[in-house]
Amino acid sequence: MQNVKLVRIEYWVDKAETGIHFEDNILHTDNQIRRARCWFPCMDENSQQCCYDLEFTVAHDLVAVSTGKLLYQVLSKDDPPRKTYVYRLDVPVSAWWISLVVGPLEIFPDPQNCLISHMCLPAYKSKLQNTVGFFYSAFSSHYEEYLGAKFPFGSYKQIFIAPEMTVSSSSLGASMSIFSSQVLHDENIIDKTIDTRIRLAYALARQWFGVYIIPSGPDDEWLLDGLAGFLTDSYIKKYLGNNEARYRRFKANCAVCKADDGGATTLSSSGSCKDLYGTQSLGLYGKIRSWKSVAVLQMLEKQMGPESFCKMLQTIVARGLDATQPSRTLSTKEFRHFANKVGNLERPFLKEFFPRWVGSCGCPVLRMGFSYNKRKNMVELAVLRSCTAKPDVEPPNTNADSEAREAEVGWPGMMSIRVNELDGMYDHPILPMAGDSWQLLEIQCHSKLAARRFLKPKKGSRADGSDDNGDAAVDARSSSESPLLWIRADPEMEYIAEIHFNQPVQMWVNQLEKDKDVVAQAQAIATLEALPECSFAIVNALNNFLCDSKVFWRVRIEAAFALATTASEDTDWAGLLHLVKFYKGRRFDANIGLPKPNDFRDIPEYFVLEAIPHAVAMVRGADGKSPREAVEFVLQLLKYNDNNGNIYSDVFWLATLVQSIGELEFGQQTILLLSSLLKRIDRLLQFDRLMPSYNGILTVSCIRTLTQIALKFSVLIPLDRICNLIKPFRNLKSLWQVRVEASRALLDLEFQYKGLNAALSLFIEFLEEEPSLRGQTKLGMHAMRLCQMRGPTDSADDIQSITLVAFLRMLEGRMAFNNVFLRHYLFCILQIFAGRPPTLYGVPRDKTFHTGDPEARSEQENIVLSFAAEAEPLETPVNITNQSPEDVAIIEVPKEADSISSSHELKKPVVKIKVKHSTATSKGDEMGNQSAAEKSQGKNNGPDRAASSSVSVDAPQRNFTEAVSISNHNLEEVNSCQNPGSRVTASIGSAKLACEGDDLGKELQCTADSGNVLVHPRLLGDSDLGADALKYASLRSLSAATVNDSSLALGDSPHRKEKKAKSDKDKKRKREDRKGHKEDSEYLERKRLKKEKKRKEKELAKLLNNEPSKTSMELPSRSKGPGVKEPEFKSVTLQAKTNEVGSSNMLVTKVEARAETSEASNAPRFRIKIKNKPLNR
């Protein structure tokens, strides 16, 4: 028996601005970071999980869709009648995954699986049926078959709502996903099919890994994100083709290598996950981390094999579905254990693999060249190793154990070198990923050159002396200088590496023409395109590749753009002529010389031909202008476009033609054709206004092209004329895509004509006028790009203080709190102003000010006094000065207290939510419960090192005092923490405020508390050390062991002694393991590297000891002597006004306490009742 106290709280939400959204007769929720607390009371943490019983009462003509299984529907006898939907979710999940959509939805059950339901608004039903026709193949035929288990939530629902209602393109919930309706398309739309299928397949994969199987902590989120991406890639490979999967993975790996240069892209470390509060999944760094996580898992799959990796995933899923001891959390350590036990990977490899690829940043950079030794018939391969990580970036694992530091020398494993010879293809796994910077390898060739003598012609021989029955390869052997055709490094993409291979041009041509791998073809095209001098042989090879219809269409598009790059006067415009000839040979009527009517039935050929006008528009002459033939070609295609008789839409085709006009550079010979092109653009705008295209794509392209032309002729065209032409598209009645594109165009023009400060001021104005959350996010992203476009030589003084203050106030305002994506981009803009990367990574957390601390108050007073002279009219005093890029101090903004209005004059429908929260008190620590209770009462137990990024939802400020009567034991029960495995029944009843005379105070408000903190900028820089000391300090960073020795010199604590004893045990175990490795070449290589490392350390130590002025060098210290002059720096200091969050004064009218026995399911449950009720009283 367990004493359970039942607390019933009945609350009413009049106006919720985040978490839950109202738009006409549609209600929906979104899963933004820590925003579930804003629309129903909950423990909004990923570790707090429980089951839910959900009841939603809505109008009889509306449909309520939520997480879990629909049990039944009840139609009331009210006038007008209402309908109650009852859902139950038996799988414990966190509050973040509770979703709800209410609206006049059309339901389309999946014809092949009754557990799948697709829903949308009535206007999109025809598009819905065409879009989701493939979904059964991903749901049952692949995912359930690949993972060897049924869908864990039973049923699955997909809901598509208007894009202006959503915060992002997709929002996930347990057993359901909410998408923007812009991903839906008719059967006559070609260009959206592939992207839509991949997006829906990824959302379904996240149900398995991310919603059902959850990470153990923030450091393990990369693993679930990577597993979902890996599962999606397996679907792409099976249903969209191996070429599509490999090409996408190759491009993603290239992007990772370019961006993985700092700690922000580290997958698992305390500095990149725990202190980022979920922002590591947002923006560009979020995409890079996602791509890198998938690539790391694919590397493991290459090492253990596809069958073993599939078996490992099945083991993880089966462990979560186990009815006796379900374990639905997954950590990096557990996954590493599975890789050893199930995947049969050796422990030494895993000990090097995870610290280097998961716990560190950077990718290997390999520069290779070779020479053929004809006497030995051997390839001599020279390799230069480096890393993409910046040298000044401190590794995130500087305090990790010895195995992590040893892994930083290189990367584990051996890279394969594939040599294509006359006799065939041979793989040589001989290149170690770890080793010296320079290394020379020898590869034995299998083919031999034939030394043939000059023989007399035989009977039946041809005039050139060759035999009819002879082998053509013999001639190739005798005429060639080597048996090598081409060489590739890492052909199977076993590693994330940036590879630069130097081989003759003819070998690249051979690779392009004879290698069937799309990655090899793409690498060859990129290399031939980048050559400083282009020969006719290269042009002909690219043209032949483009004309080959058997080649993958994406690589053919790259060949088309490569031809455009090689086109010049030196090659007699051969690339341009080949592009035009290729297009006219397939789309022009040879008799009349005009384009034929469109015919898009050959889908791959359609994509290739769609790229030709864009490639032609990128051809440039010696003066940087487009040749007249290119401009006339684009004009001819746009003028004679005819889509009659075509079963597919040509909207994307026309959009590409319009965008090609924006790529043209007009000179004296082509400026006369500009007026004809502008007339065509105006005609398309008028046509799209009468008959809107798919998602307004045609109008968006026209606005973008007009903006590009205006920017190119900014000296001749007045700004006012262009702005007057674009401003009408910002009408609120326009599609949100058109409205946002018009706002972007105006921001670009303002940036070009008046500078960055004027553009940012206009951005703030547009942001306040934009009603859609999605549009606000797009504008924030575009403003960040404008800030990044500012050159490094531009001074930060061009940003006025009033603009910075407006950004700071917006960052702490309600708009940013309601949209976490906008909040992220605003913060990134401030980071760029300070000269730092647009990420929260690396922000110091050592010193945190609270608004109630005396030190904080004095600091804030100084800020106010320093800024009063410059920003006196503003309410929020902020002091802003310039800051150097070296300073790592950051602006930490206190969050504005959010409030829920209780006005009864609203005309929107109001949702009444009755919550029966069945939760259980566990046998947790008393200290944890006491601290939770104190936090709920507003007490601060020491400085909070991690500032919460959420904002309190509190009731409006009262002008009168209200009496509260509540017992201590009830308060303790309400504020107690709950464990996922405990069960407490708590029902929420009525609660009244003591003052009955105030009409605004008769509902209980839902309050979610958060810490309001102010981070003081920390200055990292020491003037104690001289120039020579700093020089040798940089030398000491060469060895991790040297840093470790200096840290041990500070004193031997018991913890260090224990760690030293553990290290001795590890060394003893390693010595025992070495006995069986005397003949292992890989082991001997690692041993040699360790000896070389120790030798360098000894030389470095001797060098340091020889300098008496450097012997006293210690670790950098923040303390400075009184006589030491402070280094000059520029800092950014912020003090923002915060609203005190007072505790709600209320009288709990019903508190029940009873004992309840534990049932079979020990997970707490929620019961939520929602009633749609207008407030016209």
Side-chain angles (χ1 to χ4, degrees):
M1 297 292 293
Q2 182 180 6
N3 292 329
V4 178
K5 295 179 175 61
L6 180 64
V7 180
R8 298 179 60 88
I9 302 176
E10 189 174 284
Y11 72 99
W12 183 284
V13 181
D14 278 343
K15 184 180 180 182
E17 297 186 359
T18 187
I20 188 168
H21 305 277
F22 298 87
E23 187 73 24
D24 296 332
N25 58 345
I26 299 175
L27 175 151
H28 74 95
T29 61
D30 61 74
N31 290 328
Q32 298 189 65
I33 304 174
R34 293 180 302 280
R35 294 300 182 264
R37 66 185 74 173
C38 299
W39 70 280
F40 73 96
C42 61
M43 299 289 291
D44 200 3
E45 297 291 339
N46 197 27
S47 59
Q48 302 295 330
Q49 304 174 21
C50 59
C51 300
Y52 290 84
D53 290 335
L54 310 168
E55 299 180 8
F56 307 102
T57 302
V58 299
H60 69 283
D61 58 341
L62 300 179
V63 178
V65 186
S66 185
T67 54
K69 180 181 179 181
L70 177 63
L71 299 181
Y72 54 87
Q73 307 174 31
V74 177
L75 186 64
S76 68
K77 298 181 180 180
D78 300 338
D79 188 18
R82 300 188 180 191
K83 187 181 295 185
T84 300
Y85 292 83
V86 180
Y87 290 87
R88 171 174 293 175
L89 183 61
D90 295 326
V91 179
V93 297
S94 60
W96 188 4
W97 302 119
I98 299 300
S99 299
L100 171 65
V101 177
V102 178
L105 301 175
E106 291 284 344
I107 303 176
F108 176 65
D110 195 275
Q112 296 176 296
N113 192 332
C114 61
L115 297 177
I116 307 175
S117 300
H118 315 282
M119 308 175 195
C120 68
L121 299 176
Y124 306 118
K125 187 173 182 179
S126 61
K127 295 182 180 180
L128 175 67
Q129 296 177 358
N130 176 73
T131 303
V132 300
F134 79 100
F135 194 75
Y136 174 78
S137 61
F139 185 88
S140 299
S141 300
H142 182 63
Y143 286 175
E144 291 185 345
E145 179 182 348
Y146 184 82
L147 298 175
K150 293 294 183 181
F151 187 65
F153 295 106
S155 63
Y156 181 66
K157 302 167 284 291
Q158 292 185 132
I159 302 94
F160 300 86
I161 59 178
E164 58 270 15
M165 302 179 187
T166 61
V167 181
S168 59
S169 59
S170 61
S171 177
L172 302 180
S175 75
M176 66 180 293
S177 300
I178 304 173
F179 297 97
S180 168
S181 61
Q182 69 178 8
V183 303
L184 300 177
H185 56 85
D186 293 321
E187 58 183 4
N188 61 346
I189 299 296
I190 302 175
D191 299 69
K192 294 290 291 185
T193 303
I194 296 178
D195 293 338
T196 298
R197 293 189 177 185
I198 294 176
R199 186 183 299 274
L200 299 185
Y202 176 75
L204 179 60
R206 287 290 290 176
Q207 294 289 326
W208 291 91
F209 299 105
V211 181
Y212 184 71
I213 305 296
I214 61 175
S216 297
D219 292 347
D220 308 312
E221 291 179 358
W222 75 271
L223 181 56
L224 280 304
D225 190 15
L227 288 175
F230 178 87
L231 200 61
T232 307
D233 278 4
S234 66
Y235 165 78
I236 296 174
K237 183 177 181 180
K238 184 176 181 180
Y239 289 96
L240 298 181
N242 185 51
N243 287 339
E244 181 74 19
R246 283 186 60 83
Y247 185 85
R248 285 178 172 269
R249 180 48 43 204
F250 169 68
K251 290 300 182 182
N253 289 356
C254 292
V256 170
C257 292
K258 290 182 179 179
D260 190 11
D261 57 356
T265 54
T266 304
L267 296 181
S268 178
S269 69
S270 58
S272 64
C273 298
K274 293 182 179 179
D275 297 336
L276 297 186
Y277 309 106
T279 59
Q280 68 270 16
S281 62
L282 304 178
L284 175 62
Y285 285 108
K287 292 182 179 180
I288 296 299
R289 285 170 56 89
S290 179
W291 291 336
K292 183 179 179 180
S293 61
V294 177
V296 168
L297 294 178
Q298 287 184 341
M299 284 192 291
L300 284 176
E301 184 207 21
K302 296 289 185 181
Q303 295 293 331
M304 67 179 65
E307 294 80 8
S308 299
F309 195 86
C310 177
K311 184 179 179 181
M312 184 176 62
L313 296 188
Q314 292 177 357
T315 304
I316 294 173
V317 174
R319 188 185 62 158
L321 295 174
D322 188 4
T324 58
Q325 293 181 348
S327 178
R328 293 173 42 238
T329 61
L330 182 63
S331 65
T332 305
K333 185 177 181 180
E334 292 173 338
F335 186 79
R336 178 172 164 176
H337 174 75
F338 283 124
N340 174 244
K341 296 299 182 181
V342 183
N344 298 322
L345 292 181
E346 298 180 356
R347 286 187 177 181
F349 173 79
L350 295 175
K351 284 184 178 180
E352 295 181 0
F353 182 89
F354 278 89
R356 195 60 189 90
W357 286 109
V358 179
S360 302
C361 62
C363 298
V365 179
L366 302 176
R367 305 180 186 275
M368 305 181 191
F370 78 95
S371 175
Y372 175 69
N373 191 328
K374 191 173 183 179
R375 183 175 61 86
K376 296 181 180 180
N377 194 26
M378 187 176 293
V379 175
E380 297 174 349
L381 182 68
V383 182
L384 173 63
R385 297 184 181 90
S386 60
C387 181
T388 59
K390 298 178 181 178
D392 56 344
V393 175
E394 181 182 359
N397 288 334
T398 51
N399 294 328
D401 53 5
S402 60
E403 69 180 27
R405 289 194 298 270
E406 290 177 2
E408 292 175 2
V409 177
W411 288 264
M414 304 288 287
M415 180 177 287
S416 178
I417 304 298
R418 177 172 293 176
V419 181
N420 292 268
E421 306 178 21
L422 293 174
D423 285 346
M425 178 184 67
Y426 301 94
D427 286 341
H428 305 272
I430 62 170
L431 177 59
M433 297 298 293
D436 295 335
S437 298
W438 284 95
Q439 188 172 1
L440 183 64
L441 303 174
E442 292 183 347
I443 303 175
Q444 185 66 47
C445 294
H446 296 76
S447 304
K448 294 183 179 180
L449 295 177
R452 298 186 61 188
R453 299 179 180 178
F454 292 98
L455 300 177
K456 296 181 179 180
K458 300 179 181 180
K459 292 184 178 181
S461 60
R462 291 191 294 266
D464 57 356
S466 60
D467 195 350
D468 291 336
N469 300 324
D471 189 2
V474 176
D475 294 336
R477 293 170 188 267
S478 60
S479 61
S480 176
E481 294 294 332
S482 71
L484 305 177
L485 297 179
W486 70 92
I487 302 177
R488 292 185 60 194
D490 192 21
E492 299 299 330
M493 290 192 298
E494 296 178 347
Y495 299 96
I496 315 173
E498 182 179 338
I499 301 175
H500 303 274
F501 201 92
N502 185 18
Q503 61 182 351
V505 175
Q506 184 57 43
M507 298 183 71
W508 287 114
V509 174
N510 293 340
Q511 179 174 326
L512 176 64
E513 294 177 344
K514 299 179 182 181
D515 203 321
K516 302 303 179 183
D517 184 18
V518 294
V519 177
Q521 296 166 354
Q523 291 173 341
I525 291 173
T527 304
L528 295 176
E529 181 182 2
L531 291 176
E533 296 182 0
C534 181
S535 63
F536 287 98
I538 296 177
V539 176
N540 293 332
L542 292 173
N543 179 57
N544 295 334
F545 188 84
L546 173 64
C547 297
D548 190 357
S549 59
K550 297 180 181 180
V551 179
F552 185 50
W553 60 272
R554 290 190 185 274
V555 190
R556 294 175 66 192
I557 291 176
E558 290 198 8
F561 284 103
L563 278 174
T565 304
T566 59
S568 63
E569 297 176 354
D570 298 336
T571 58
D572 296 333
W573 305 106
L576 175 61
L577 296 179
H578 283 310
L579 288 173
V580 174
K581 182 180 179 181
F582 171 79
Y583 188 93
K584 290 185 176 181
R586 287 159 175 78
R587 284 291 177 85
F588 270 57
D589 191 339
N591 297 325
I592 61 177
L594 295 177
K596 300 177 184 178
N598 296 332
D599 185 5
F600 300 155
R601 287 176 295 180
D602 190 349
I603 305 299
E605 198 72 15
Y606 160 76
F607 285 121
V608 176
L609 291 173
E610 188 182 40
I612 297 301
H614 196 187
V616 170
M618 296 180 65
V619 176
R620 298 289 183 267
D623 57 350
K625 305 299 180 181
S626 299
R628 184 179 182 87
E629 293 79 5
V631 180
E632 292 178 345
F633 176 74
V634 175
L635 177 60
Q636 189 179 24
L637 296 183
L638 193 60
K639 182 178 181 180
Y640 295 101
N641 180 70
D642 184 8
N643 204 51
N644 293 327
N646 189 16
I647 61 175
Y648 295 104
S649 172
D650 65 340
V651 55
F652 283 93
W653 178 266
L654 288 173
T656 303
L657 290 177
V658 173
Q659 293 177 11
S660 301
I661 299 176
E663 296 292 339
L664 294 170
E665 291 288 345
F666 296 93
Q668 295 180 354
Q669 298 180 353
T670 57
I671 191 65
L672 299 178
L673 300 176
L674 179 60
S675 59
S676 300
L677 293 171
L678 292 178
K679 290 180 180 179
R680 295 294 166 182
I681 294 177
D682 181 68
R683 182 178 179 181
L684 291 175
L685 280 174
Q686 300 298 332
F687 177 78
D688 201 38
R689 184 175 302 174
L690 298 175
M691 299 179 62
S693 59
Y694 174 79
N695 289 337
I697 184 66
L698 195 54
T699 301
V700 169
S701 301
C702 292
I703 294 176
R704 190 173 301 166
T705 299
L706 289 175
T707 306
Q708 291 176 339
I709 295 176
L711 294 176
K712 293 174 183 178
F713 295 95
S714 57
V715 181
L716 304 176
I717 303 177
L719 175 63
D720 297 338
R721 296 184 60 182
I722 301 298
C723 293
N724 294 334
L725 179 64
I726 298 178
K727 279 182 179 179
F729 295 101
R730 294 194 65 252
N731 191 346
L732 295 180
K733 296 181 180 180
S734 303
L735 291 175
W736 79 275
Q737 296 96 332
V738 176
R739 185 171 64 248
V740 170
E741 186 60 36
S743 300
R744 286 175 174 175
L746 294 176
L747 290 176
D748 290 339
L749 293 171
E750 196 78 7
F751 176 73
Q752 177 72 16
Y753 282 84
K754 298 183 180 180
L756 181 60
N757 185 77
L760 293 179
S761 300
L762 187 63
F763 159 72
I764 296 175
E765 178 183 346
F766 287 169
L767 200 60
E768 295 174 350
E769 298 174 356
E770 178 58 40
S772 65
L773 298 176
R774 190 85 181 277
Q776 295 172 1
T777 303
K778 295 290 186 181
L779 291 178
M781 184 189 305
H782 191 71
M784 185 187 72
R785 291 175 180 173
L786 290 180
C787 296
Q788 291 175 331
M789 289 172 57
R790 186 181 60 173
T793 57
D794 296 342
S795 174
D797 297 335
D798 56 351
I799 309 298
Q800 299 181 4
S801 299
I802 190 67
T803 305
L804 289 175
V805 172
F807 267 91
L808 295 174
R809 297 183 64 184
M810 186 176 298
L811 183 64
E812 69 167 356
R814 188 182 306 276
M815 180 183 296
F817 175 71
N818 296 341
N819 190 343
V820 296
F821 299 96
L822 174 63
R823 183 190 185 101
H824 172 71
Y825 289 122
L826 292 176
F827 174 80
C828 291
I829 291 174
L830 294 176
Q831 283 283 91
I832 295 173
F833 288 163
R836 293 189 292 269
T839 175
L840 192 60
Y841 175 82
V843 175
R845 290 289 186 269
D846 291 345
K847 191 172 183 180
T848 303
F849 284 148
H850 296 271
T851 55
D853 296 339
E855 187 178 358
R857 287 198 298 269
S858 62
E859 179 71 18
Q860 294 169 4
E861 290 174 0
N862 295 333
I863 297 174
V864 172
L865 293 176
S866 63
F867 191 75
E870 185 174 358
E872 186 177 358
L874 300 176
E875 297 179 1
T876 305
V878 180
N879 181 25
I880 297 179
T881 58
N882 295 331
Q883 184 164 354
S884 62
E886 293 78 13
D887 188 6
V888 297
I890 195 171
I891 304 170
E892 184 70 19
V893 181
K895 288 80 183 175
E896 183 183 63
D898 194 7
S899 61
I900 298 178
S901 175
S902 57
S903 174
H904 293 279
E905 300 178 358
L906 299 173
K907 300 299 182 181
K908 295 182 178 181
V910 176
V911 174
K912 183 176 181 181
I913 307 177
K914 293 184 179 180
V915 179
K916 295 181 180 179
H917 184 178
S918 57
T919 174
T921 57
S922 63
K923 299 179 180 180
D925 295 337
E926 295 180 359
M927 296 299 294
N929 294 338
Q930 182 179 359
S931 62
E934 290 178 353
K935 287 183 180 179
S936 64
Q937 299 178 44
K939 298 181 180 180
N940 293 329
N941 297 328
D944 187 7
R945 298 298 180 188
S948 174
S949 62
S950 62
V951 180
S952 301
V953 180
D954 198 0
Q957 298 291 335
R958 305 294 184 188
N959 296 325
F960 52 88
T961 59
E962 299 170 339
V964 176
S965 175
I966 184 167
S967 61
N968 293 331
H969 69 275
N970 288 335
L971 178 62
E972 186 176 354
E973 276 299 318
V974 170
N975 295 323
S976 63
C977 295
Q978 63 185 33
N979 292 334
S982 60
R983 180 178 182 85
V984 166
T985 303
S987 63
I988 302 178
S990 60
K992 298 181 180 179
L993 294 171
C995 182
E996 300 289 345
D998 187 9
D999 292 335
L1000 297 178
K1002 290 185 180 179
E1003 287 86 27
L1004 173 64
Q1005 304 297 326
C1006 171
T1007 302
D1009 192 14
S1010 65
N1012 291 334
V1013 299
L1014 183 66
V1015 176
H1016 181 66
R1018 185 182 62 176
L1019 303 177
L1020 297 181
D1022 299 289
S1023 59
D1024 304 276
L1025 304 178
D1028 296 334
L1030 293 177
K1031 173 183 177 182
Y1032 286 105
S1034 62
L1035 290 175
R1036 295 181 67 179
S1037 64
L1038 293 173
S1039 174
T1042 307
V1043 179
N1044 189 28
D1045 295 339
S1046 62
S1047 62
L1048 291 175
L1050 298 177
D1052 293 333
S1053 62
H1055 175 70
R1056 290 191 177 92
K1057 293 180 179 179
E1058 181 181 356
K1059 186 176 180 181
K1060 184 178 180 181
K1062 183 179 179 181
S1063 177
D1064 294 339
K1065 292 181 180 180
D1066 293 340
K1067 291 180 180 179
K1068 184 177 180 181
R1069 179 178 54 81
K1070 290 180 179 179
R1071 285 196 298 269
E1072 294 176 356
D1073 294 339
R1074 290 194 192 105
K1075 295 180 180 180
H1077 299 307
K1078 296 296 184 180
E1079 303 299 331
D1080 189 358
S1081 60
E1082 185 176 354
Y1083 166 76
L1084 295 176
E1085 178 68 15
R1086 289 201 305 268
K1087 186 175 180 180
R1088 186 188 66 79
L1089 292 176
K1090 288 184 179 180
K1091 288 183 179 180
E1092 183 69 18
K1093 175 183 173 183
K1094 290 181 179 180
R1095 185 183 63 80
K1096 291 181 180 179
E1097 291 175 1
K1098 290 181 180 179
E1099 293 179 357
L1100 182 62
K1102 185 183 298 184
L1103 179 65
L1104 293 176
N1105 293 331
N1106 291 336
E1107 297 291 337
S1109 59
K1110 281 77 179 177
T1111 54
S1112 60
M1113 185 179 62
E1114 299 177 354
L1115 292 178
S1117 175
R1118 288 191 178 91
S1119 62
K1120 300 182 183 298
V1124 180
K1125 184 179 178 181
E1126 291 286 334
E1128 296 183 2
F1129 63 90
K1130 300 178 182 180
S1131 62
V1132 178
T1133 309
L1134 164 68
Q1135 189 274 339
K1137 190 181 294 182
T1138 60
N1139 296 329
E1140 294 291 333
V1141 181
S1143 59
S1144 300
N1145 297 323
M1146 60 185 179
L1147 178 64
V1148 178
T1149 61
K1150 185 177 182 181
V1151 178
E1152 302 174 2
R1154 69 185 183 191
E1156 180 176 296
T1157 59
S1158 177
E1159 299 177 357
S1161 176
N1162 55 2
R1165 295 177 176 272
F1166 269 93
R1167 287 183 181 149
I1168 301 180
K1169 294 183 179 179
I1170 295 188
K1171 295 185 178 180
N1172 192 330
K1173 182 178 179 181
L1175 287 178
N1176 298 329
R1177 341 182 203 182

